[in-house]
Amino acid sequence: MDPRTVPVVQVDTGLPAVAPACLSAEHLRQAFGGSRLDWQPELSNEHRWTSKPPAKAAVLVALVQRQEIHVLLTQRSTGLSNHSGQIAFPGGRQDPEDHSANDTALREAWEEVGLARDRVEVLGSLPVYATGSGFDITPVVGLVTPPFALAPNPGEVDDIFEVPLSFLMNPAHHQWQQLDTPELSRRWLSMPYQDPLSGHQRFIWGATAGMLRNLYRFLAFQAPR
């Protein structure tokens, strides 16, 4: 199933974008360092299509401090058994030696794309996101300080790219797609991005889009009223 071909049933143009002032490193530090009472994620549980017990995992939502903040993303290798070819955050399954979700996310970012942990300032995490493929993922959010050199692991990552955080935090770029079959009806979020550097469309959807939507809801909740 190619998700790009599935009908778009809704675009969230009626929701406000997160203000640019709320996307600064200083505000992000304040938002994750403050109280998060009353905030609830919008998306947290996909329909599971596996009966195996869920596995703990973590991803790094790497916010790169450029002139404006960008989100570091990967295109997963087409040879992987889970979510092959999809756009994802660096991350993976928790190993026994990992002491926390932070350890998992930072280790995986190093193993997948060569991002050294001393370039990452961990701000906090978003609520666990349960995927249909049987992973309970903790999104660990961190600020990344350039300069840094990346080296994709060819067995896991086909490409590395960045998307402006302002693009992803604008719901005018959030579209809902729905697939209806005799067996099931499935609805998901996607955020297609036309990458000016590569000329390719980066089709962000599924769990990655869901976690970005939760980041949007969190930052919108934290914005000054």
Side-chain angles (χ1 to χ4, degrees), residues 49 52 76-77 79-86 93 133-135:
W49 59 83
K52 67 181 181 181
R76 289 170 59 83
S77 169
L80 293 172
S81 57
N82 287 308
H83 307 289
S84 63
Q86 293 186 13
R93 187 189 300 262
S133 55
F135 291 93

Side-chain angles (χ1 to χ4, degrees), residues 29 60 65 102-103 105-107 109-110 114-122 142-150:
R29 290 187 183 101
L60 181 64
Q65 299 183 79
N102 290 0
D103 281 344
L106 293 171
R107 174 184 55 76
W110 168 251
L115 179 61
R117 65 172 60 209
D118 63 3
R119 309 309 294 172
V120 183
E121 174 191 348
V122 174
L143 288 170
V144 180
T145 304
F148 53 84
L150 300 179

Side-chain angles (χ1 to χ4, degrees), residues 10 35-36 49-50 53 62 64 99 105 113 124 130 134 152 155 157 164-166 168 174 176 185 189 196 198 208 214:
Q10 178 182 325
S35 171
R36 294 196 288 169
W49 59 83
T50 177
V64 183
H99 299 295
V113 301
V157 174
L165 181 60
S166 59
L168 297 168
H174 298 184
W176 294 91
S185 178
L189 194 63
S198 69
T208 303
N214 288 342

Side-chain angles (χ1 to χ4, degrees), residues 31-61:
F32 279 93
S35 171
R36 294 196 288 169
L37 296 177
D38 301 328
W39 177 78
Q40 294 292 328
E42 181 177 356
L43 303 169
S44 58
N45 289 281
E46 295 180 350
H47 172 74
R48 296 226 168 176
W49 59 83
T50 177
S51 59
K52 67 181 181 181
K56 289 185 178 181
V59 297
L60 181 64
V61 184

Side-chain angles (χ1 to χ4, degrees), residues 69-90:
I69 289 182
H70 283 61
V71 180
L72 181 71
L73 292 166
T74 71
Q75 182 172 336
R76 289 170 59 83
S77 169
T78 54
L80 293 172
S81 57
N82 287 308
H83 307 289
S84 63
Q86 293 186 13
I87 303 301
F89 301 110

Side-chain angles (χ1 to χ4, degrees), residues 119-222:
R119 309 309 294 172
V120 183
E121 174 191 348
V122 174
L123 300 179
S125 60
L126 296 170
V128 170
Y129 186 98
T131 70
S133 55
F135 291 93
D136 288 348
I137 302 175
T138 299
V140 176
V141 181
L143 288 170
V144 180
T145 304
F148 53 84
L150 300 179
N153 181 334
E156 299 187 64
V157 174
D158 282 346
D159 200 5
I160 307 169
F161 63 98
E162 296 180 12
V163 179
L165 181 60
S166 59
F167 177 92
L168 297 168
M169 295 299 101
N170 184 349
H173 304 136
H174 298 184
Q175 60 184 30
W176 294 91
Q177 296 175 267
Q178 185 163 322
L179 176 65
D180 294 312
T181 71
E183 293 77 24
L184 59 83
S185 178
R186 187 182 173 197
R187 183 180 171 98
W188 63 78
L189 194 63
S190 60
M191 303 172 183
Y193 173 68
Q194 191 65 34
D195 186 348
L197 296 180
S198 69
H200 300 150
Q201 185 192 73
R202 307 293 190 173
F203 195 77
I204 305 163
W205 74 292
T208 303
M211 287 181 272
L212 286 167
R213 177 67 167 220
N214 288 342
L215 178 61
Y216 163 76
R217 289 295 190 185
F218 170 70
L219 293 177
F221 177 79
Q222 296 290 333

